[in-house]
Amino acid sequence: MAHGQSTGGVKMQTVFAVEEEWLPTLLPGKCSFSDPLDQPPPAYDKATGGVMCHRTSTFGVRAWVLPAVKVPYPLGMKRFREFAAALLEGKVIPSLQHYDALLLARPGVLRKSWATLQPRAEAFLKQIVNKDVDTREKLLKMWESDPDFLFSAFSQWLPQSTHSDLRATWPPVPPSK
């Protein structure tokens, strides 16, 4: 057989093993994802600074079923709701945990579809959504450019008697160097 001719058979040149859990992370464009699973519930992830969830997926044109993996929560209002609740709970900015016992409503209300019926929830979510703040990194950048960001909205969650203390420590992060 001359050089460059083929026998017509199938050849494999490079083959390597791949763990099925890697595919949704390394090749998300080749996967079709389910909606976020209810269990385990979505949660703020300190390592990534964003909201993560578990999703199942299929891979490729053959739709191979893959196990559920932890991935960033898809873009949308639910992601903002989860981030806002985590922020009020002190999970995003630990110094805000100090105010947890003083909150006039539980942050979990922000996760409800009817949350915007409450003025304090609407004000908080509106500011976060309007500035596209859904990660710790975006929040810190926002505070660099606008130190008063969220002060008024956060204040609505606290008794009036705490507002002067809150103002003295806002934004609740050390100044960047």
Side-chain angles (χ1 to χ4, degrees):
M1 175 172 9
H3 180 69
Q5 288 183 334
S6 174
T7 61
V10 177
K11 294 193 259 181
M12 287 197 263
Q13 286 187 324
T14 306
V15 178
F16 56 94
V18 174
E19 296 292 330
E20 57 189 8
E21 295 86 16
W22 298 351
L23 295 173
T25 303
L26 297 176
L27 297 168
K30 300 282 185 183
C31 294
S32 295
F33 288 94
S34 69
D35 287 337
L37 302 177
D38 292 332
Q39 293 299 322
Y44 176 75
D45 183 72
K46 188 176 179 179
T48 65
V51 177
M52 302 293 280
C53 65
H54 286 78
R55 298 172 83 182
T56 58
S57 62
T58 58
F59 179 77
V61 294
R62 299 214 184 260
W64 292 322
V65 177
L66 301 174
V69 292
K70 187 176 176 179
V71 294
Y73 201 95
L75 296 174
M77 193 62 192
K78 288 184 179 181
R79 180 165 154 167
F80 287 112
R81 290 178 191 281
E82 285 292 333
F83 182 77
L87 178 57
L88 279 172
E89 292 165 345
K91 293 176 181 174
V92 179
I93 305 295
S95 62
L96 292 178
Q97 288 175 352
H98 164 74
Y99 296 102
D100 185 56
L102 303 172
L103 294 174
L104 299 173
R106 299 311 316 149
V109 74
L110 289 166
R111 295 181 177 101
K112 307 294 183 189
S113 60
W114 47 263
T116 55
L117 296 175
Q118 294 187 2
R120 73 173 55 94
E122 180 182 26
F124 200 73
L125 283 169
K126 187 176 182 179
Q127 286 192 20
I128 285 176
V129 171
N130 286 347
K131 297 297 184 178
D132 191 36
V133 174
D134 59 359
T135 65
R136 178 180 165 85
E137 180 182 357
K138 288 180 182 179
L139 178 62
L140 296 177
K141 283 184 182 177
M142 191 65 212
W143 277 332
E144 284 178 15
S145 64
D146 180 6
D148 286 331
F149 177 66
L150 287 179
F151 174 77
S152 176
F154 193 88
S155 296
Q156 293 179 37
W157 288 80
L158 295 169
Q160 182 72 36
S161 61
T162 64
H163 291 189
S164 61
D165 290 340
L166 181 65
R167 169 50 75 198
T169 61
W170 200 266
V173 292
S176 57
K177 296 176 182 175

